[in-house]
Amino acid sequence: MASLPNKVIAQVAFKAGGDIFHQLVANNPKHLANATPVTIQDCELLQGHYGVNGSVIQWKYAVDGKPQIAKQVLQDIDKEKKQISWRTVEGDLLEVYKKMVITAHVETKGGVDFITWTLDYELINADSPHPLRFLNFFIELTKELESHIFG
């Protein structure tokens, strides 16, 4: 039986500024390990350049206190829209999901910047959990980053 594509979305107000957020995640993700050490422990560039489509990054992070690793390819980077996606090609996520693409997009509404996190995924089987804890991970990451910037 073929798996159906799924999507979960969360939007978080980001008082530190959408430009700063996009600049960090697209061009300086290594700083996230300094800014959010509880959530992200390391970001290593394996191929290409930060902020360039097709580049490969490996993350070491923790979800619910459990260490995880993800190797991801950068795609759909759009400086005008302040959007970036990471397509997972190896790691813990692919033990549970057939496919996982994570997108961060900055939107401004009424003078407030919002970070929209979208997880596009396919379950390996019908019993696999939907990635709500990963969505919560990104909400917490966003809040932790904002606190770091306002420190």
Side-chain angles (χ1 to χ4, degrees), residues 94-108:
L94 295 183
E95 292 175 12
V96 183
Y97 307 102
K98 205 181 286 187
K99 172 189 139 191
M100 175 67 73
V101 176
I102 300 157
T103 302
H105 178 220
V106 178
E107 294 179 85
T108 304

Side-chain angles (χ1 to χ4, degrees), residues 81-126:
K81 288 184 181 174
K82 297 181 205 139
Q83 177 174 303
I84 183 170
S85 294
W86 300 265
R87 181 174 44 87
T88 306
V89 293
E90 285 180 28
D92 295 291
L93 288 170
L94 295 183
E95 292 175 12
V96 183
Y97 307 102
K98 205 181 286 187
K99 172 189 139 191
M100 175 67 73
V101 176
I102 300 157
T103 302
H105 178 220
V106 178
E107 294 179 85
T108 304
K109 298 179 193 172
V112 178
D113 287 331
F114 290 90
I115 311 305
T116 303
W117 290 99
T118 304
L119 280 57
D120 289 289
Y121 62 98
E122 286 184 38
L123 301 174
I124 286 180
N125 61 55

Side-chain angles (χ1 to χ4, degrees), residues 3-53:
S3 174
L4 295 174
N6 292 280
K7 183 182 288 199
V8 291
I9 300 170
Q11 193 170 66
V12 183
F14 192 71
K15 296 177 196 82
D19 290 335
I20 292 169
F21 178 87
H22 181 73
Q23 176 66 25
L24 269 173
V25 297
N27 300 316
N28 194 10
K30 191 132 184 85
H31 184 70
L32 293 176
N34 299 328
T36 63
V38 171
T39 312
I40 295 178
Q41 288 72 54
D42 193 27
C43 173
E44 182 182 352
L45 182 66
L46 301 179
Q47 180 182 323
H49 301 280
Y50 291 126
V52 177
N53 285 320

Side-chain angles (χ1 to χ4, degrees), residues 46-95:
L46 301 179
Q47 180 182 323
H49 301 280
Y50 291 126
V52 177
N53 285 320
S55 297
V56 180
I57 293 177
Q58 180 169 286
W59 299 92
K60 291 184 181 170
Y61 59 101
V63 175
D64 299 331
K66 181 182 174 209
Q68 311 241 335
I69 292 179
K71 186 189 282 187
Q72 297 179 318
V73 176
L74 297 175
Q75 62 183 36
D76 299 329
I77 299 170
D78 188 325
K79 290 179 175 86
E80 295 296 314
K81 288 184 181 174
K82 297 181 205 139
Q83 177 174 303
I84 183 170
S85 294
W86 300 265
R87 181 174 44 87
T88 306
V89 293
E90 285 180 28
D92 295 291
L93 288 170
L94 295 183
E95 292 175 12

